[in-house]
């Protein structure tokens, strides 16, 4: 019983979230500029390429405090839980630290040269799209939300 408890306690952040249930977004609707209040910007081009600026790590990687800029690819996928945008940074052009950095251990890993995110796709109260992922401890339920870039 102790082993089973230990294994299920470490099942990962996705054990807590089953998706938004949204299945009607189109790739054309997702394409465009997205931003976060922390100065993050992501451009999802119609050809499947992406530009990203100051994008933080998701899940527990957020706690490492790095922010990445670069280029990559994106794809809108759909499964039972709902739609997600799979964003892969293939070329890093810059890495920086978020301030205040939440990392206290001097042995925290450095920023990766490539990275992948899964953004859940949802709609706001005005039927506009919102992209988000969770970060930190999944029991807390922190959301890193991206909204349509102003003027986009």
């Amino acid at each position: 019983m102790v082993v089973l408890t230990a294994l299920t306690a470490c099942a990962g952040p996705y054990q807590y979230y089953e998706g938004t249930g949204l299945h009607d977004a189109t790739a054309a609707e997702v394409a465009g500029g997205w931003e976060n209040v922390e100065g993050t910007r992501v451009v999802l081009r119609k050809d499947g390429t992406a530009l990203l600026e100051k994008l933080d790590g998701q899940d527990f990687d957020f706690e490492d405090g790095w922010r990445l800029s670069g280029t990559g690819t994106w794809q809108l996928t759909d499964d039972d839980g709902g739609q997600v945008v799979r964003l892969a940074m293939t070329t890093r052009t810059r890495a920086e630290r978020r301030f205040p950095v939440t990392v206290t251990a001097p042995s925290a890993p450095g920023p990766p040269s490539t990275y992948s995110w899964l953004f859940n796709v949802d709609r706001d109260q005005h039927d506009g799209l919102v992209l988000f992922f969770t970060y930190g401890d999944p029991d807390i339920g922190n959301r890193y939300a991206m909204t349509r870039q102003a003027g986009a």
Side-chain angles (χ1 to χ4, degrees):
M1 188 62 139
V2 172
V3 172
L4 182 59
T5 301
L7 289 175
T8 58
C10 298
Y14 299 106
Q15 72 182 354
Y16 298 96
Y17 188 73
E18 296 182 16
T20 63
L22 184 74
H23 299 282
D24 66 351
T26 65
E29 189 179 12
V30 172
W34 297 88
E35 61 188 357
N36 177 285
V37 296
E38 298 291 324
T40 299
R41 291 187 348 192
V42 174
V43 177
L44 305 175
R45 295 180 176 148
K46 291 181 181 180
D47 66 0
T49 60
L51 297 172
L52 50 125
E53 184 178 336
K54 298 181 182 180
L55 188 54
D56 296 287
Q58 74 180 87
D59 300 325
F60 288 109
D61 291 340
F62 182 85
E63 295 172 2
D64 292 337
W66 45 256
R67 308 186 87 199
L68 301 175
S69 297
T71 59
T73 60
W74 72 279
Q75 180 181 22
L76 177 66
T77 62
D78 197 348
D79 64 26
D80 291 341
Q83 292 174 294
V84 296
V85 170
R86 297 176 184 278
L87 175 61
M89 184 190 67
T90 54
T91 304
R92 186 180 80 189
T93 57
R94 188 172 69 238
E96 56 194 77
R97 288 279 176 199
R98 181 179 61 252
F99 293 101
V101 176
T102 57
V103 175
T104 57
S107 62
S113 57
T114 62
Y115 194 79
S116 296
W117 294 263
L118 287 179
F119 284 93
N120 294 285
V121 180
D122 204 0
R123 294 201 182 273
D124 63 18
Q125 65 272 21
H126 304 291
D127 207 31
L129 288 183
V130 176
L131 306 179
F132 70 92
F133 60 77
T134 59
Y135 66 90
D137 185 340
D139 289 327
I140 296 173
N142 292 321
R143 284 189 176 193
Y144 191 96
M146 302 285 293
T147 56
R148 187 63 70 181
Q149 190 171 0

